[in-house]
Amino acid sequence: MSVIDDLRACFSGRLITDPVDSAPFLTDWRQSWTGTALAIAQPESTADVAAVVRWCAERDIPIVPQGGNTGLSGGAVPDTSGQSVILSLTRLNKIRSVDPVNDTMVVEAGCLLAAVQQAAEEADRLFPLSLAAEGSCTIGGNLSTNAGGTGVLRYGNARELCLGLEVVTAEGEIWNGLRALRKDNSGYDLRDLFIGAEGTLGIITAAVVKLFPRPAGKATAFVAVGSVDAALALFGTIVRRAGAALTAFELIAEPCLDAVLGHRPDLRRPVEAQAPWFLLIEISDLHDMAAARSTLETGLMAGFETGLVIDAALAETLEHAQRFWAIREAIGEAQGTLGKVLKHDISVPISAMPGFIRDTGSLLADRYPILHPTIFGHLGDGNLHYNFVVKASSMDAFEALRQSVSTIVHDRVAAHDGSIAAEHGIGILIREEAARLRSPVETRLMEALKAALDPKAIMNPGKLVLSGGAASGPRHPE
Ligand SMILES: Cc1cc2nc3c(=O)[nH]c(=O)nc-3n(C[C@H](O)[C@H](O)[C@H](O)COP(=O)(O)OP(=O)(O)OC[C@H]3O[C@@H](n4cnc5c(N)ncnc54)[C@H](O)[C@@H]3O)c2cc1C
């Protein structure tokens, strides 16, 4: 019996070995890395996931868990050895139960994020995790990367939206931690170890997620401000009035708006004024639209009176608000039309944001005048996509520039007690940089956890931590 027949016989789901069918699983969403694999297993039950993991563990075969393969750090693709099994969770996609009294739902790992949102809506509840990839990414991938997105300011990131997990361990055992409890101090928090672990400790097969009341009204504004200091002062002004009703406070640098308007002729400039920075602000109200609008108007009026706001447009209709959000969501794609993009997903304390942008920006402008900043992000969460477009450069020159610029950016982030992996995870993209910046104690603790939970080092080797496996193949040019 061939090794593939043997794997085929150990579980009842789908097994893919055909090169054409395998291709979408082997390259990441950004097309930065391509690997090869022994096969792609798509089990349909937790028992079958466990069977595949046991089969791999008995043979020391590396496992690469994969959800929607929309991750931006290369964590879900195998290396080029051809020895790994990709364990694709997309067929494990049932909504197991909804408990509207407890405000919780049990969902399988392969459910699309959009399907989880939809199931919550059908129960007249909100599942607030929201990101542009929601039609393709899975809840298992969201939890494994501790995804953020646009609802973090009010509802928290994926970790904060999860009460319990079901996990297949690296040895193929099933841990049922599907506890729907808001209070549970019964020892080490195993759930939190697997969230954000990027598949390096075990496989998430199901989760208990939290539900919330659906807001009845939302008010949305597009605002021009003169500086990040002004943006931060306006954040304080509005949050003091709105409290938890402030559901988004997004920062957009002028070159990002220009890039979107150049790339998407269907979208219009929301405010006439020229300004270096723009904000997308959203207030939600549980009861009505008028209350949301009134809170936002009062906050913006205070901003005008104190000179913080240069110009502002308040969405009059839902479609109007969607057009504001379309601008925000198109930035990622639009910046790529300007040249090669050097990307960082960083966070610093919100109070440090203006200083970080000012100091790091002038340091880089002095040393690398070739860089054009296209900065945007979730200002209210202290998270920036601190990106730069390079208009003309050979691939080799770009790669050398990427490394030296990223080292400077990451060192500045560390100097502000920030994180170089705010919401996209570490994967293979920044695992060396993350290792460089970790303290020896943190490295030792992480390596001890990895060795304890994955003693054979078969879980997604080469990702997130330096120990436990080889790196993936070389990066493709962007
Ligand atoms: C257009 C676009 C916009 C995006 N916007 C955001 C954003 O705003 N905020 C944000 O945080 N991210 C964003 N992302 C990144 C991405 O969507 C998220 O990281 C998402 O959570 C990944 O889910 P996935 O199912 O695609 O996981 P994958 O890409 O398949 O996997 C990601 C990692 O998790 C592991 N993994 C996947 N499933 C499991 C499982 N069941 N058990 C164990 N490990 C697993 C993989 O091995 C890999 O390391 C965006 C991506 C795109 C393409």
Side-chain angles (χ1 to χ4, degrees):
M1 199 189 239
S2 77
V3 72
I4 295 295
D5 292 339
D6 197 31
L7 173 57
R8 170 64 289 166
C10 92
F11 75 111
S12 61
R14 190 166 164 225
L15 190 75
I16 304 170
T17 51
D18 175 78
V20 175
D21 295 343
S22 303
F25 299 88
L26 299 174
T27 295
D28 71 304
W29 187 85
R30 277 181 170 160
Q31 308 207 317
S32 292
W33 291 274
T34 299
T36 51
L38 195 62
I40 295 125
Q42 288 194 307
E44 289 167 13
S45 69
T46 301
D48 274 342
V49 173
V52 174
V53 173
R54 278 196 303 275
W55 185 92
C56 292
E58 280 158 14
R59 291 159 184 81
D60 289 338
I61 289 180
I63 300 168
V64 181
Q66 191 178 97
N69 198 14
T70 68
L72 299 176
S73 305
V77 288
D79 64 16
T80 49
S81 68
Q83 300 300 311
S84 322
V85 167
I86 296 180
L87 214 159
S88 160
L89 280 302
T90 51
R91 291 187 148 212
L92 196 68
N93 59 3
K94 286 191 234 22
I95 305 286
R96 288 194 192 163
S97 62
V98 181
D99 182 346
V101 178
N102 198 44
D103 267 334
T104 51
M105 199 156 73
V106 181
V107 297
E108 291 187 342
C111 288
L112 292 181
L113 174 55
V116 177
Q117 295 165 341
Q118 177 68 32
E121 198 176 323
E122 283 162 15
D124 193 26
R125 297 289 185 278
L126 172 75
F127 181 63
L129 189 66
S130 175
L131 41 112
E134 62 201 23
S136 311
C137 63
T138 63
I139 190 71
N142 300 146
L143 289 164
S144 299
T145 56
N146 189 21
T150 51
V152 175
L153 184 57
R154 160 70 180 89
Y155 300 100
N157 48 21
R159 184 188 301 281
E160 289 162 82
L161 299 172
C162 177
L163 292 177
L165 286 182
E166 178 187 83
V167 170
V168 170
T169 69
E171 279 143 330
E173 290 174 310
I174 299 171
W175 170 55
N176 183 345
L178 288 173
R179 297 177 192 129
L181 306 174
R182 285 173 175 79
K183 287 191 167 178
D184 178 16
N185 284 348
S186 48
Y188 301 131
D189 198 328
L190 298 178
R191 173 200 60 194
D192 273 355
L193 287 181
F194 293 104
I195 297 175
E198 299 182 42
T200 60
L201 300 179
I203 296 179
I204 295 175
T205 48
V208 182
V209 296
K210 289 189 205 169
L211 301 178
F212 295 82
R214 274 154 54 79
K218 283 184 182 178
T220 313
F222 206 94
V223 180
V225 291
S227 65
V228 181
D229 293 276
L232 193 60
L234 185 64
F235 176 71
T237 301
I238 293 185
V239 90
R240 276 192 296 279
R241 284 170 173 75
L246 179 59
T247 40
F249 201 92
E250 301 283 307
L251 182 73
I252 300 170
E254 188 189 26
C256 298
L257 178 61
D258 292 343
V260 170
L261 298 176
H263 176 60
R264 289 277 305 268
D266 58 311
L267 296 172
R268 297 269 167 278
R269 194 181 176 86
V271 289
E272 286 305 316
Q274 300 293 321
W277 298 97
F278 298 90
L279 302 167
L280 180 57
I281 307 175
E282 182 188 83
I283 304 262
S284 304
D285 190 90
L286 282 183
H287 307 292
D288 65 29
M289 173 77 166
R293 203 179 158 92
S294 156
T295 310
L296 185 50
E297 274 172 351
T298 323
L300 290 176
M301 280 313 295
F304 271 115
E305 280 159 16
T306 47
L308 299 175
V309 173
I310 296 175
D311 198 358
L314 208 58
E316 296 298 334
T317 61
L318 183 60
E319 198 233 324
H320 203 171
Q322 283 165 344
R323 286 210 299 272
F324 290 174
W325 275 108
I327 292 174
R328 168 65 181 81
E329 279 159 12
I331 298 173
E333 193 177 309
Q335 63 180 347
T337 62
L338 301 178
K340 299 190 188 77
V341 190
L342 224 151
K343 296 175 181 164
H344 308 96
D345 167 42
I346 61 102
S347 63
V348 294
I350 302 176
S351 48
M353 191 72 91
F356 169 81
I357 292 179
R358 208 170 23 244
D359 301 349
T360 313
S362 63
L363 188 64
L364 290 173
D366 285 350
R367 287 199 201 167
Y368 305 101
I370 187 179
L371 298 176
H372 299 271
T374 48
I375 299 166
F376 64 101
H378 316 288
L379 180 65
D381 310 336
N383 173 201
L384 287 180
H385 301 306
Y386 191 70
N387 297 349
F388 295 88
V389 167
V390 185
K391 287 199 169 142
S393 164
S394 73
M395 284 308 173
D396 286 351
F398 178 74
E399 189 51 30
L401 187 68
R402 191 180 71 78
Q403 283 180 18
S404 44
V405 170
S406 292
T407 303
I408 293 175
V409 172
H410 293 161
D411 285 347
R412 296 308 305 150
V413 169
H416 284 90
D417 293 324
S419 166
I420 64 165
E423 61 172 4
H424 295 163
I426 290 171
I428 187 153
L429 179 67
I430 49 168
R431 67 173 209 151
E432 278 84 8
E433 277 295 85
R436 180 176 73 84
L437 294 169
R438 254 179 226 130
S439 70
V441 181
E442 209 168 320
T443 302
R444 191 177 55 72
L445 291 174
M446 282 210 188
E447 287 180 353
L449 279 172
K450 172 76 177 162
L453 293 182
D454 178 22
K456 292 186 148 191
I458 58 166
M459 290 306 310
N460 215 1
K463 315 292 170 44
L464 197 150
V465 283
L466 288 181
S467 65
S472 173
R475 189 172 185 185
H476 303 314
E478 295 209 16

